Amino acid sequence: MQQYAKPGDSIPTILLDEALKEGYFAFNRQDGETLSFKIKYDNGSWEYKLEK
């Protein structure tokens, strides 16, 4: 995830389902761009994919 982070980004928002296994992670950039990632907990680690 650090490869996407830049100085000045907002504090990320994390939304998870009731089982705390899937959801979304998003933050805003100073220029107004929003990055959103679909996240999933599987086998002891989090997987994520940038949503366009």
Side-chain angles (χ1 to χ4, degrees), residues 10-52:
S10 69
I11 295 173
T13 300
I14 302 170
L15 302 171
L16 296 173
D17 65 0
E18 290 181 13
L20 305 177
K21 300 284 186 180
E22 294 184 35
Y24 288 90
F25 176 96
F27 57 89
N28 295 317
R29 295 254 157 92
Q30 284 182 334
D31 64 5
E33 178 185 17
T34 298
L35 293 178
S36 178
F37 300 85
K38 183 168 179 80
I39 57 176
K40 182 176 182 180
Y41 188 75
D42 191 29
N43 293 324
S45 65
W46 287 97
E47 299 173 6
Y48 60 91
K49 180 180 176 185
L50 180 61
E51 297 281 302
K52 300 243 175 182

